[in-house]
Amino acid sequence: MQLYTKIMIALIVGVAAGLVANLLDIGSLVAFFVAIGQFGDAWIDLITMVVIPLVVASLVVGTASLGDITKVGRIGGKTVVYYLVTTAIAVSIGLVLSNIFLRGDAGMSAEALEGLRGQYLAEGQSRVAMAEQAPGLVEVLRGIIPRNIVEALANFEMLPILFFSIFFGAALSSVPKETRDPVLRFFDGVNEAAMVMIHWIMALAPYAVFALIAAVIAEFGAEVLGGLLVYSLVVVAGLLLHLIITYGAALRFLAGVKPLDFLKKIRAVQLVAFSTSSSNATLPLTIETAEEEVGISNEVSSFVLPLGATINMDGTALYQAVATMFIATVLVGDLTLAAQFTIVLTATLASIGAAGVPSAGIIILIVVLQQALPPTVDPAAGIALILGVDRILDMCRTALNVTGDLTAAAVVARSEGETLALVQAAGD
Ligand code: ASP
């Protein structure tokens, strides 16, 4: 049985088990599923553990074997432009859908509004406190250059790690061959061992997915969706539209692959992103799939994918646009066009600053709320409204985030003259 099929079965059984516990309100079963969620979290740690060795080794080898530093600049330029443009499109899709469907009370009764406010206001306030500590865009950009690479590695700061690895790889390529080769062989060995670790860890994926999903559903259940149904559906519809229209077009016209064939190859990555709610934790599998299933070179994937997991979050940006519109509609009424334009700018930039970890999007959302809503609106009250369904929407947006990264890698690889293995398999 393929890995994808196993994960899919685990997901379905996990949802069903979680629902049974939640809907029948069987306390001990809920507690049991929440407890085995720990196993899922341990598995996330296991796969996250591989991220840094894999990214550093594969980026050093990738850059050193490019031989030409201008190529790094060219790939970097294309990647960043592509990421910004697709994210802005995602936000726009979110805004258009919100203008159509989130009007009036946006499907929320006054009762539901009060209920959510009472239940989540304190948590909303704690998120606002967390947002105050999150670095702003300028700080993120300024922080790209690490003062101390060991510190950056220890703190899992992806952008400084990427910067150092590329710089180091480029320098390595200009060192005499006899000195360079042993170093390259070392990193090559690390890279290959990391890939083997991923294979081993992925064998446990179905069990971890079951544990993760059963815990989330048992704890959050379906009832919380009630008042937030319209909002949640608009987010999910936006994510699907972006997948079908934007990625569909990019894959067909820019990467030259059949979108459905491509999506089939990356299904397991999407499911793991969905189950873990973390682009970072999914990154090792994303890289492995890009290279082994889609046929993207290590040079492109080692650069485009880690960068994407950190700065490219179309799903998050789209969700932030819809969430801001929803909160505005419920708390202050419709937003002007100018305020909506602010959302395009701030959500696009804010999603760059969001880390690829669970719930990063809702913390960065506070920045967007502060920019786009009148100062009289307390962001904590807004966050309180949507917090109940956030974990489930986080799963959906993370799946789109990693799809966006992989699509970008395919587009950039094709633009660098690569023929994707997928193209041959599809007989194009
Ligand atoms: N969980 C998302 C990710 O890792 C970020 C977010 O919270 O939107 O891609």
Side-chain angles (χ1 to χ4, degrees), residues 11 16 60 75 88 91 98 105 133 147 151 160 170 228 232 234 240 253 256 265 285 318-319 332 347 368 407:
L11 199 67
V60 167
I75 294 180
V91 176
S98 307
D105 64 4
Q133 287 160 14
R147 184 204 291 257
E151 190 186 1
L228 295 167
S232 306
V234 171
L240 285 174
F253 301 116
K265 295 260 179 200
L285 183 67
L318 188 149
Y319 140 85
V332 279
V368 184
T407 304

Side-chain angles (χ1 to χ4, degrees), residues 4-5 31 57 74 76 81 127 157 165 173 184 194 196 198 200 208 235 241 251 322 324 338 340 346 371 374 378:
Y4 162 77
T5 319
R74 196 176 63 227
V81 170
R127 297 298 149 104
E157 294 164 12
S165 309
S173 67
L184 263 186
V196 174
I198 299 165
W200 289 349
V235 173
L241 277 183
L251 286 167
V322 177
T324 309
Q340 296 197 23
T346 46
Q371 299 294 324
D378 173 14

Side-chain angles (χ1 to χ4, degrees), residues 273 276-282 309 312-313 315-317 319-320 354-363 390 393-395 397-399 401-402 405:
T276 59
S277 292
S278 170
S279 303
N280 276 354
T282 315
N312 181 47
M313 307 217 171
T316 302
Y319 140 85
Q320 287 175 336
V357 295
S359 297
I362 195 161
I363 293 171
D390 203 62
L393 294 182
D394 194 2
M395 297 162 71
R397 63 191 191 239
T398 310
N401 288 345
V402 298
D405 300 339

Side-chain angles (χ1 to χ4, degrees), residues 298-313:
N298 168 259
E299 292 159 14
V300 170
S301 72
S302 70
F303 177 73
V304 175
L305 295 172
L307 190 69
T310 316
I311 71 165
N312 181 47
M313 307 217 171

Side-chain angles (χ1 to χ4, degrees), residues 29 53 120 131 321 356 390 423:
L29 202 56
Y120 292 108
D390 203 62
V423 179

